[in-house]
Amino acid sequence: MAQILGDIHFLVSASTAKQLGICYAEVAFVGRSNVGKSSLLNAIAQHKQLARVSKTPGRTRLINVFLTGVDRWVVDLPGYGFASGPVAEKATWQAMIEGYLTSRNSLRTIFVLVDAEVGPTKLDIQMIDWLRGMELPYRIVATKTDKVKPSKQLLQRKEVASKLNLLPSDIYWVSSAKGTGIADFRKEIATILEL
């Protein structure tokens, strides 16, 4: 029986996957710089300040590892796309992300976060195509569903799914602000990590 991920706490930050130790199982969060990764991590952990939320996109600049149970990790990766920071530093983030995603044998699932209101961007599609090409396990999480008007929710879900060649039921629909879908998503992570 999966447990609630209420015991998540920060473990370590690293600039390369080689700096990380080993664990039994891990999941990773990846997405555009302003898609709400930190807010989602805080929501699933039920901890408002676990991951630093900033009004300036691109504050996550390292591989941030959070421990949730014995040898189980939740990993927050730097965002892609619009982000604040020196150009040279931003150029290293892609290599950091790709290096992590392709080298972790214990990586069970990569959660690709897409803004539910905006829909998948060109960068999101590139990331998903790359994951498919590398045959890496991933699932789509549509964030900020509270930003979509209730009258447009159904149509927007269909449009987002269609752009990704998926069914709406293939996507996790969540809102960190309202708590929508968070409990089920938390259970899914716990199941993947075998907690």
Side-chain angles (χ1 to χ4, degrees):
M1 181 71 149
Q3 68 184 26
I4 291 177
L5 302 176
D7 61 345
I8 298 178
H9 61 273
F10 176 76
L11 180 64
V12 68
S13 289
S15 59
T16 69
K18 292 177 182 177
Q19 295 172 334
L20 299 173
I22 59 171
C23 71
Y24 177 74
E26 60 196 283
V27 296
F29 287 74
V30 67
R32 287 186 301 110
S33 299
N34 57 347
V35 76
K37 286 190 284 86
S38 297
S39 295
L40 182 57
L41 278 167
N42 290 340
I44 64 168
Q46 298 177 310
H47 189 304
K48 290 183 179 180
Q49 297 187 5
L50 177 73
R52 185 174 165 208
V53 177
S54 173
K55 291 185 179 181
T56 306
R59 288 297 183 192
T60 303
R61 298 179 179 191
L62 296 169
I63 300 166
N64 292 316
V65 179
F66 300 89
L67 184 68
T68 177
V70 179
D71 289 332
R72 268 61 169 195
W73 294 357
V74 175
V75 179
D76 183 19
L77 297 172
Y80 50 81
F82 174 76
S84 69
V87 174
E89 183 180 1
K90 289 194 285 187
T92 66
W93 296 344
Q94 182 176 349
M96 183 192 310
I97 293 168
E98 289 181 6
Y100 167 81
L101 293 175
T102 57
S103 68
R104 299 295 297 175
N105 294 330
S106 51
L107 182 57
R108 300 282 179 89
T109 303
I110 300 150
F111 292 110
V112 182
L113 277 55
V114 173
D115 189 311
E117 182 182 26
V118 174
T121 65
K122 182 179 177 181
L123 290 173
D124 294 325
I125 300 292
Q126 287 174 353
M127 172 58 77
I128 293 163
D129 286 346
W130 183 81
L131 292 171
R132 286 175 178 156
M134 297 299 292
E135 298 183 355
L136 293 169
Y138 72 93
R139 291 290 307 270
I140 306 298
V141 181
T143 62
K144 305 180 184 181
T145 57
D146 57 293
K147 301 285 187 186
V148 181
K149 292 179 182 177
S151 62
K152 296 185 177 179
Q153 282 272 346
L154 196 57
L155 180 61
Q156 184 67 3
R157 287 182 182 217
K158 287 180 181 177
E159 286 184 12
V160 169
S162 175
K163 288 178 182 176
L164 296 170
N165 296 316
L166 297 171
L167 297 172
S169 57
D170 294 330
I171 299 171
Y172 295 107
W173 302 91
V174 299
S175 166
S176 302
K178 302 288 185 185
T180 309
I182 297 296
D184 288 339
F185 186 48
R186 188 183 296 125
K187 287 177 189 173
E188 181 66 16
I189 293 170
T191 299
I192 290 168
L193 293 177
E194 298 179 32
L195 290 169

